[in-house]
């Protein structure tokens, strides 16, 4: 996770580590080919227990990076509890499921989050800028999926996830304000919900009182209406 602080806190004090140990960690994960911000927040984990894996974590399986998309805790009538994981391959985008036992030790890579700003889209290519070192990075829209990519607007800040020094994915805010461009009055006046079109082209279900021109908050993960501003 990124650590915010207006006074550029010392990363050594921040993590409660000795100066020698912290410098060793930074040297280990900092790539030579990528200039990293001076106060980046590294999260270095070698192993994590199966019952501690969370959504958006990156794990190493079969010598490949996989991002955890869903976690379902299962407590069978017989046998030990486990987490049913839905994983997405960070390179190919393919998905698979994996049963992680509670006591299982799962390998995880060095991770770092950096703030990125979305600049523009050209075809299937998304261009972002690292707000610290101003490096511009091009990523395929498939990395986010068309659903979340549609919420990108110029200037929007996102979390860029670097794994072992290479950018692997970006995470847009969980909730975003959108303008309703079309919310026709339904034929049934007693209906509680209707379909509305947002300024990004997405069509979502909203309460019947939402009108054209309103600004609403939407959950980007599943296009769910949250509230009207």
């Amino acid at each position: 996770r990124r650590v915010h602080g207006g006074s550029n806190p010392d990363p050594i004090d921040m993590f409660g580590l000795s100066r020698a140990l912290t410098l060793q960690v930074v040297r280990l994960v900092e790539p030579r080919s990528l200039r990293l911000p001076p106060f980046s927040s590294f999260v270095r984990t070698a192993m994590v227990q199966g019952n501690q894996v969370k959504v958006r974590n990156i794990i190493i399986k079969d010598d490949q990076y996989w991002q955890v998309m869903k976690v379902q805790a299962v407590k069978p009538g017989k046998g030990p509890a486990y987490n049913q994981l839905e994983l997405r391959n960070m390179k190919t985008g393919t998905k698979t499921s994996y049963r992680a036992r509670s006591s299982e030790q799962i390998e995880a890579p060095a991770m770092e989050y950096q703030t990125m700003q979305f600049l523009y889209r050209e075809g299937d290519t998304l261009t972002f800028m690292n707000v610290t070192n101003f490096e511009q990075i091009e990523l395929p829209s498939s990395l986010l999926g068309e659903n979340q990519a549609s919420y990108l607007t110029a200037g929007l800040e996102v979390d860029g996830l670097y794994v072992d020094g290479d950018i692997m994915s970006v995470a847009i805010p969980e909730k975003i304000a959108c303008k309703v461009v079309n919310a026709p009055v339904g034929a049934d006046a007693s209906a509680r919900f209707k379909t509305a079109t947002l300024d990004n082209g997405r069509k979502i279900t909203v309460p019947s009182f939402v009108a054209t021109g309103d600004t609403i908050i939407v959950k980007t993960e599943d296009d769910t209406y949250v509230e009207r501003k």
Side-chain angles (χ1 to χ4, degrees):
R1 297 179 180 173
R2 288 185 284 116
V3 180
H4 297 273
S7 59
N8 287 340
D10 187 340
I12 297 171
D13 297 333
M14 187 187 307
F15 293 103
L17 300 174
S18 69
R19 179 172 295 272
L21 177 58
T22 303
L23 291 177
Q24 289 174 6
V25 171
V26 172
R27 282 197 294 269
L28 177 63
V29 300
E30 183 174 3
R32 295 179 181 177
S33 60
L34 182 64
R35 183 181 58 185
L36 296 179
F39 294 103
S40 53
S41 55
F42 287 98
V43 180
R44 182 176 182 268
T45 56
M47 306 296 290
V48 60
Q49 282 192 308
N51 61 355
Q52 296 177 339
V53 175
K54 302 182 185 301
V55 173
R56 291 183 62 189
N57 282 174
I58 307 297
I59 65 173
I60 299 174
K61 177 178 174 290
D62 300 328
D63 295 325
Q64 298 186 62
Y65 294 128
W66 299 80
Q67 185 170 31
V68 181
M69 308 303 292
K70 293 182 180 179
V71 178
Q72 180 181 3
V74 180
K75 296 182 179 180
K78 294 182 179 180
Y82 62 90
N83 276 346
Q84 187 70 28
L85 309 179
E86 180 180 312
L87 307 176
R88 180 174 66 87
N89 190 288
M90 300 294 292
K91 183 176 182 180
T92 65
T94 57
K95 293 183 178 181
T96 188
S97 58
Y98 181 71
R99 178 180 295 187
R101 301 184 306 275
S102 297
S103 58
E104 180 179 356
Q105 297 292 306
I106 299 176
E107 187 177 3
M111 293 167 48
E112 176 204 5
Y113 284 100
Q114 295 187 31
T115 301
M116 314 288 289
Q117 187 179 76
F118 177 67
L119 298 180
Y120 59 89
R121 176 173 184 166
E122 186 172 343
D124 293 330
T125 301
L126 307 173
T127 301
F128 298 86
M129 180 184 69
N130 186 306
V131 301
T132 302
N133 58 24
F134 307 110
E135 177 186 17
Q136 292 191 17
I137 299 173
E138 294 183 345
L139 298 174
S141 59
S142 59
L143 196 64
L144 279 77
E146 194 56 41
N147 180 41
Q148 293 208 331
S150 65
Y151 286 99
L152 292 172
T153 55
L156 180 70
E157 289 193 349
V158 301
D159 286 330
L161 173 61
Y162 287 77
V163 178
D164 285 338
D166 296 321
I167 188 165
M168 287 292 181
S169 69
V170 295
I172 69 175
E174 294 181 1
K175 300 176 184 178
I176 286 182
C178 298
K179 189 170 184 177
V180 178
V181 296
N182 187 24
V185 178
D188 185 359
S190 63
R192 297 177 55 195
F193 300 97
K194 61 183 179 181
T195 300
T197 305
L198 307 179
D199 53 357
N200 59 9
R202 304 295 299 178
K203 294 188 176 185
I204 71 169
T205 300
V206 299
S208 58
F209 58 77
V210 172
T212 299
D214 285 348
T215 298
I216 62 175
I217 305 299
V218 180
K219 288 181 64 176
T220 56
E221 181 180 8
D222 54 11
D223 295 335
T224 301
Y225 167 88
V226 178
E227 63 181 351
R228 181 170 63 178
K229 292 189 68 176

